[in-house]
């Protein structure tokens, strides 16, 4: 967790021209969809990559970026996602991991980012097959386990997979990606592509609301920014309801507090992550925090120190697992 692996992200960046383009290196043959009865018209199935190719869809250049305050951001129309998609952000995202107890499965990771979760789990479960989808091609195209492939796609549009395809669907840290009303769309689509009896897992973080005054004030400004953008700062506590609304049977819900001032390795890595979340949010949050480009590093240095003071600064993560 927290290892700096920007070289991995830096080695790729091959811009691909299709909004649902498979970047797996294996040679795939497309075929008509004999074993996929619910394939939409004008589509064929690549049975090896479990991908629906929509021949009627508009082919365009994908993952165009724009630069603001020295950071690179996606340029995807109508997307509420407001964090950067550059190598520095991929370093931050590579900072968090979880366990998955499943094997010989077909696994989908939605909004996979740089592929942190999928690559860890795929290495642990070599006999399962893993597909990551993200609207930006920030995932590794070349260096990845043999049982992993990635595709560019917008999860708010129909996913390029048939109904009942996956044993496990993972969705992690969409809190800053989706507007409030977009959560049911994501869950509905995830449900559609899951096999009956398959599992979905959501992991989301809470707000920074416990700690000293400086920490709480900073957390409040971050929360207000999320609300201003039409997003839900407390979605971590609503995941059960969101799943139940899609008739997913919730089998596990857990909330974990992370003490950011503790000196163990894991706590230090979460401390690093919180500071880097604020760093990634600089373009949009520096002004409400009362800083500007030239002195924002002073805010980050202060935050790093204050997060380690009493009363304890606590950040929480929630995990929800449900069954179709
Ligand atoms: C905070 S990152 C989390 C990445 C990864 N799930 C993780 O836990 O490390 C959110 C990711 O969601 C992607 N994303 C946001 N909106 C999306 C959409 N509508 N379709 C596909 N990916 C999306 C972003 O490009 C970004 O990589």
């Amino acid at each position: 967790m927290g290892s700096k692996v920007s070289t991995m992200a830096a080695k790729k960046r091959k811009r691909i021209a299709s909004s649902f383009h498979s970047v797996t290196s294996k040679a795939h043959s497309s075929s008509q969809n004999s074993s996929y009865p619910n394939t939409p018209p004008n589509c064929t199935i690549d049975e090896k990559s479990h991908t629906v190719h929509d021949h009627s869809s508009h082919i365009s250049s994908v993952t165009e970026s724009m630069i603001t305050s020295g950071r690179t951001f996606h340029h995807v129309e109508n997307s509420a996602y407001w964090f950067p998609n550059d190598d520095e952000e991929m370093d931050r995202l590579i900072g968090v991991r979880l366990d998955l107890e499943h094997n010989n499965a077909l696994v989908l990771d939605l909004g996979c980012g740089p592929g942190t979760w999928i690559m860890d789990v795929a290495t642990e479960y070599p006999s399962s097959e893993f597909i990551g989808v993200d609207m930006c091609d920030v995932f590794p195209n070349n260096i990845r386990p043999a049982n992993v492939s990635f595709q560019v796609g917008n999860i708010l549009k129909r996913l390029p997979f048939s109904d009942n395809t996956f044993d496990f669907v993972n969705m992690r840290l969409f809190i800053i990606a989706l507007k409030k009303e977009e959560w049911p769309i994501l869950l509905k689509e995830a449900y559609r592509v899951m096999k009956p009896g398959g599992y979905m897992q959501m992991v989301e973080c809470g707000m920074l609301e416990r700690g000293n005054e400086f920490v709480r004030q900073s957390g409040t400004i971050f929360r207000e920014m999320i609300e201003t953008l039409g997003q839900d700062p407390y979605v971590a506590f609503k995941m059960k309801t969101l799943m139940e609304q899609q008739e997913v049977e919730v089998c596990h819900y857990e909330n974990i507090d992370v003490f950011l001032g503790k000196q163990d390795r894991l706590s230090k890595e979460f401390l690093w992550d919180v500071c880097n979340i604020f760093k990634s949010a600089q373009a949009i949050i520096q002004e409400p925090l009362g800083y500007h480009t030239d002195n924002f590093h002073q805010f980050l240095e202060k935050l790093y120190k204050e997060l380690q003071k009493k009363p304890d600064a606590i950040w929480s993560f929630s995990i929800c697992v449900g069954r179709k």
Side-chain angles (χ1 to χ4, degrees):
M1 202 170 118
S3 55
K4 306 289 189 294
V5 288
S6 40
T7 44
M8 195 165 73
K11 280 189 180 153
K12 34 140 241 67
R13 303 282 186 265
K14 191 181 164 204
R15 302 287 173 215
I16 315 157
S18 163
S19 49
F20 282 123
H21 187 105
S22 166
V23 293
T24 178
S25 60
K26 296 173 199 162
H28 296 319
S29 60
S30 289
S31 65
Q32 283 301 330
N33 43 2
S34 50
S35 53
Y36 294 85
N38 296 311
T39 306
N42 300 318
C43 295
T44 52
I45 295 284
D46 181 333
E47 293 194 17
K48 269 193 172 170
S49 66
H50 311 279
T51 303
V52 178
H53 295 284
D54 181 351
H55 304 297
S56 64
S57 70
H58 172 66
I59 304 290
S60 62
S61 93
V62 291
T63 69
E64 277 176 28
S65 297
M66 56 187 182
I67 297 175
T68 308
S69 301
R71 301 293 300 266
T72 308
F73 295 81
H74 76 80
H75 201 25
V76 178
E77 208 179 341
N78 296 329
S79 170
Y81 189 55
W82 53 289
F83 266 40
N85 67 357
D86 51 21
D87 289 353
E88 192 175 340
E89 177 66 357
M90 294 314 112
D91 277 353
R92 186 185 73 76
L93 291 174
I94 284 162
V96 193
R97 56 160 289 167
L98 280 172
D99 285 334
L100 166 71
E101 287 181 24
H102 212 81
N103 214 347
N104 299 312
L106 185 56
V107 179
L108 177 66
D109 187 16
L110 295 177
C112 62
T116 322
W117 181 86
I118 212 171
M119 302 234 283
D120 269 2
V121 185
T123 306
E124 208 166 325
Y125 298 96
S127 59
S128 292
E129 196 187 332
F130 294 80
I131 300 176
V133 174
D134 201 286
M135 68 179 189
C136 301
D137 62 341
V138 290
F139 38 74
N141 283 331
N142 302 320
I143 303 168
R144 58 192 151 85
N147 55 337
V148 174
S149 63
F150 293 104
Q151 302 184 24
V152 174
N154 185 337
I155 47 92
L156 294 174
K157 311 242 166 104
R158 190 181 165 89
L159 289 167
F161 306 109
S162 298
D163 298 358
N164 310 323
T165 300
F166 292 93
D167 297 283
F168 194 98
V169 178
N170 184 56
M171 294 160 279
R172 194 174 74 168
L173 299 176
F174 273 111
I175 184 169
I176 47 159
L178 300 184
K179 291 187 186 156
K180 272 185 189 165
E181 65 274 17
E182 290 173 338
W183 284 95
I185 303 172
L186 166 70
L187 270 285
K188 191 173 179 201
E189 192 57 356
Y191 182 85
R192 182 185 69 78
V193 298
M194 281 164 69
K195 285 179 186 165
Y199 290 87
M200 63 164 69
Q201 172 175 275
M202 296 173 80
V203 179
E204 292 299 335
C205 62
M207 293 292 101
L208 201 53
E209 293 179 323
R210 289 171 285 176
N212 69 21
E213 202 183 337
F214 181 83
V215 169
R216 284 184 280 111
Q217 273 173 0
S218 307
T220 299
I221 288 170
F222 197 93
R223 173 181 53 74
E224 286 170 355
M225 185 53 65
I226 287 188
E227 283 166 342
T228 304
L229 294 167
Q231 299 177 327
D232 189 346
Y234 299 113
V235 71
F237 305 107
K238 299 175 187 164
M239 296 188 297
K240 267 172 90 170
T241 310
L242 282 166
M243 282 195 191
E244 282 162 1
Q245 279 167 353
Q246 300 301 325
E247 295 182 11
V248 172
E249 178 198 340
V250 174
C251 26
H252 181 79
Y253 179 83
E254 195 179 350
N255 193 269
I256 300 166
D257 279 344
V258 181
F259 288 72
L260 298 166
K262 275 192 170 176
Q263 290 305 304
D264 61 286
R265 187 176 153 265
L266 201 59
S267 303
K268 282 184 177 178
E269 293 195 10
F270 277 104
L271 170 67
W272 175 86
D273 199 35
V274 170
C275 293
N276 279 286
I277 284 174
F278 277 88
K279 189 161 186 255
S280 293
Q282 177 182 352
I284 202 158
I285 213 170
Q286 66 182 13
E287 201 186 311
L289 282 168
Y291 288 81
H292 48 82
T293 310
D294 295 339
N295 67 1
F296 192 70
H297 67 278
Q298 288 170 6
F299 165 77
L300 293 175
E301 283 155 20
K302 187 163 165 65
L303 182 67
Y304 180 77
K305 283 183 192 149
E306 300 295 326
L307 285 167
Q308 296 177 76
K309 291 183 183 168
K310 295 285 178 189
D312 288 324
I314 301 172
W315 192 27
S316 72
F317 278 81
S318 303
I319 299 156
C320 191
V321 180
R323 190 164 182 264
K324 181 169 177 180

